[in-house]
Amino acid sequence: GRLVVATHNAGKLREIDDLLGPYGFDTVSAGELGLPEPEETGQTFEENAILKARAAAEAAELPALSDDSGLAVDALDGAPGIHSARWAGPDRDFARAMRNLEEELQKLGAIAPERRTARFVSALAIAWPDGHVETVRGEIEGTLVWPPRGEQGFGYDPMFLPEGHARTFGEMSAEEKHGGRAGTDTPPLSHRARAFALLVEAHIGE
Ligand code: ITT
């Protein structure tokens, strides 16, 4: 059936469309529908994901899938976390956001990889026009490198080296960042792909 992908972030939209590919949804983005961006007033990834999915489902009168995500840095007590997009300013300048992040780490003397641990978090929410909503969460652990490496992906990807891997998300193709498809023997890799696998298991099915 028809499904609204409730995001205005082009990088995310590409990944979600990829991940949804095998399930035969007829997707339309919040941007294409001209839906407004609700204010993200929640205190958690899940609360913000729910706000976005519900707003889109009600406005479009269709089921809607949203993602609220971010980078939680241990040395910064979980910052930027739910504020990850806002750290990039109104013009969404992630080169600057990454420089700011590195400056904060330098101030703390966080040079050794053990002091530069972080995780990406993705909360996905799927909401129906009647207000019913389900959420799942995926996470991936890694360390932050400097300087950033790679031109692929989006946001903080060039700084994020996933645990057990030699290349940053910025150096990985979309396929490699996703890892295995839901239902295959290879496990999902990225926070978003991991959350998506849980969503498929619990709420989309095959
Ligand atoms: P929507 O709310 O319209 O979906 P947004 O960019 O405002 O778009 P968020 O509030 O969830 O979305 O912010 C998440 C930010 O975290 C995003 O802008 C990226 O900077 C970062 N982020 C999330 N997932 C990421 C990923 O897979 N790779 C790199 N950065 C990521």
Side-chain angles (χ1 to χ4, degrees), residues 6-9 12 15 37 40 52 67-71 81-82 84-85 92 94 120-121 154-157 169 177 191-192:
T7 179
H8 289 80
N9 177 316
K12 265 190 201 178
E15 291 192 359
E37 278 188 72
E40 296 186 21
K52 292 187 276 192
D67 162 295
D68 199 70
S69 47
L71 181 66
I82 61 168
S84 294
R92 295 290 185 260
F94 282 97
F120 266 129
V121 178
F154 66 98
Y156 298 90
D157 277 343
F169 273 169
K177 181 180 169 185
H191 47 313
R192 190 162 292 105

Side-chain angles (χ1 to χ4, degrees), residues 26-44:
D26 172 16
T27 63
V28 57
S29 73
E32 286 172 300
L33 289 176
L35 301 182
E37 278 188 72
E39 214 192 319
E40 296 186 21
T41 53
Q43 304 294 307
T44 63

Side-chain angles (χ1 to χ4, degrees), residues 185-204:
D185 288 342
T186 318
L189 180 62
S190 78
H191 47 313
R192 190 162 292 105
R194 287 176 178 182
F196 194 81
L198 296 173
L199 187 78
V200 167
E201 229 172 76
H203 306 296
I204 297 185

